Amino acid sequence: MEVKTLLPTHNEKIGPTITSPPSPSLRSSIIPPSWLPYIQLSRLDRPTGIYLFYFPFLFGSLLAGTVSPIPPHTLLTSNLLFFALCTIWRGAACTWNDTLDADLDRQVARTRSRPIARGAVTVGQAHLYTAVQTLLGLALALQLPRRALWIGAPWLLLVVLYPLAKRVTNYPQAVVGFVMAWGSLWSCTSLNGAFMAAGRPLVGMLCLFASNYFWAMLYDGIYAHQDVKDDKVAGVKSIAVVFQGQKGLLYGLGAVQVGLLAACAWAVGAGWVMGGGVLLTAGTLVVMVWRVDLEEPRSCLWWFKNGCWFTGAAVSSGLLGEYLLRLYGI
């Protein structure tokens, strides 16, 4: 009976959201209607995911500049490239995810209006669009040093595997953590070859990567709580289903994230500025987990979107301050 309410019959109408873009920002006469489903597939109308993909790149580039001086203009141009790469490849990842998840998306209220699930884009068209975005991203990635390409190659495999993880394990966030955190490895190795050799810089990079990994598990765990009821019916697995409403796990993930960020600061010999950033990061995580209502989807979405900025800004401020101190010898 419960499944029937989620899966309309062939002659039932789900409602206006099935045939219209879910985001009002897309309803613009400037954008041709035929483009709208592809913009939705890339989630360009929902940019929070782009920022979350990008933050580890930013963290890694600032860490690289902290370990050895990098001119500001090099840091800026590199981050513009990283941001463009994140935008394109995040779109490819979302398209691939929606292609494999169309059967599940139709069973979840929040996702059944996605383009493939509602029939606005065919599977063949989606595969072609995924390939185009992947190749565009590859063209950008080829601008990076060769050593960074070797680091980045496993990321593509992880993106391919993630949609399958939620079918076979209760912990798909353990996979998405790698996907979201990998950017710190890319940006560190792209901008500074010192991270390729054994030593404290390598330890610092790995600690930063691990810190980003647990951050991704935390915010994706909050995000997944939006769909717990539908996910249980559809058979979608996640830590939100296993630990529904249990904030202890989220506090634990945050504690590990902060501890690893502090270890990163120690490994690269950072001072009080990055230390202050670590404390500020801890504060943002405590407030987010304390205030979010895991039983209320709107609260989960609000803290997912805004917590991204609170914590991202806290980590960035510590790293940026440390970079500037060392660059100008203050």
Side-chain angles (χ1 to χ4, degrees):
M1 294 295 293
E2 202 169 355
V3 174
K4 187 176 180 181
T5 63
L6 292 171
L7 291 171
T9 62
H10 67 280
N11 58 357
E12 285 182 324
K13 293 184 179 180
I14 297 175
T17 55
I18 292 300
T19 55
S20 62
S23 173
S25 63
L26 289 181
R27 298 170 189 166
S28 169
S29 59
I30 300 175
I31 303 174
S34 60
W35 292 16
L36 297 182
Y38 295 97
I39 292 174
Q40 290 174 251
L41 275 177
S42 296
R43 307 284 203 278
L44 293 177
D45 60 325
R46 304 180 189 277
T48 301
I50 297 174
Y51 309 143
L52 289 169
F53 259 98
Y54 169 67
F55 268 125
F57 280 90
L58 176 61
F59 301 161
S61 64
L62 291 171
L63 184 67
T66 297
V67 169
S68 57
I70 295 175
H73 71 274
T74 301
L75 204 62
L76 176 60
T77 55
S78 296
N79 274 280
L80 290 174
L81 175 62
F82 293 147
F83 188 81
L85 183 62
C86 288
T87 301
I88 294 172
W89 267 355
R90 184 256 186 166
C94 289
T95 306
W96 172 249
N97 180 79
D98 286 8
T99 305
L100 296 190
D101 278 1
D103 58 328
L104 298 177
D105 285 345
R106 294 187 185 100
Q107 301 178 60
V108 177
R110 184 180 59 84
T111 60
R112 59 178 139 181
S113 63
R114 286 176 175 174
I116 301 173
R118 73 173 191 261
V121 175
T122 67
V123 170
Q125 290 170 329
H127 282 316
L128 179 59
Y129 187 48
T130 299
V132 169
Q133 292 175 98
T134 301
L135 291 174
L136 284 174
L138 182 60
L140 289 177
L142 289 173
Q143 310 307 309
L144 302 173
R146 183 170 297 179
R147 61 178 180 267
L149 295 180
W150 289 111
I151 294 291
W155 180 84
L156 291 174
L157 177 61
L158 292 167
V159 170
V160 170
L161 293 177
Y162 169 65
L164 304 176
K166 67 187 77 171
R167 289 170 164 82
V168 299
T169 176
N170 288 320
Y171 305 97
Q173 281 74 23
V175 179
V176 82
F178 284 108
V179 174
M180 303 303 289
W182 210 267
S184 58
L185 301 180
W186 274 20
S187 55
C188 278
T189 53
S190 295
L191 291 168
N192 196 328
F195 292 103
M196 302 299 290
R200 293 184 67 167
L202 176 61
V203 172
M205 178 182 73
L206 294 177
C207 287
L208 179 64
F209 165 74
S211 179
N212 289 328
Y213 173 85
F214 285 99
W215 182 35
M217 286 191 68
L218 193 163
Y219 64 64
D220 199 62
I222 291 175
Y223 185 78
H225 271 82
Q226 296 178 93
D227 305 321
V228 168
K229 293 180 181 178
D230 288 348
D231 283 351
K232 287 181 177 180
V233 174
V236 177
K237 302 177 185 295
S238 77
I239 61 173
V241 172
V242 178
F243 299 97
Q244 182 178 357
Q246 298 182 31
K247 290 189 176 183
L249 174 67
L250 302 179
Y251 279 119
L253 291 171
V256 175
Q257 176 193 345
V258 171
L260 287 164
L261 186 61
C264 169
W266 169 83
V268 299
W272 65 270
V273 175
M274 188 171 175
V278 172
L279 293 176
L280 187 59
T281 299
T284 65
L285 294 174
V286 168
V287 171
M288 178 170 68
V289 177
W290 173 46
R291 294 296 303 273
V292 67
D293 181 354
L294 296 177
E295 303 299 326
E296 172 52 61
R298 287 177 297 181
S299 176
C300 293
L301 180 61
W302 193 94
W303 281 104
F304 170 78
K305 293 170 68 174
N306 294 281
C308 155
W309 287 107
F310 299 153
T311 303
V315 178
S316 299
S317 64
L319 286 164
L320 178 61
E322 199 69 34
Y323 163 72
L324 293 174
L325 285 178
R326 297 195 183 192
L327 179 68
Y328 296 110
I330 300 175

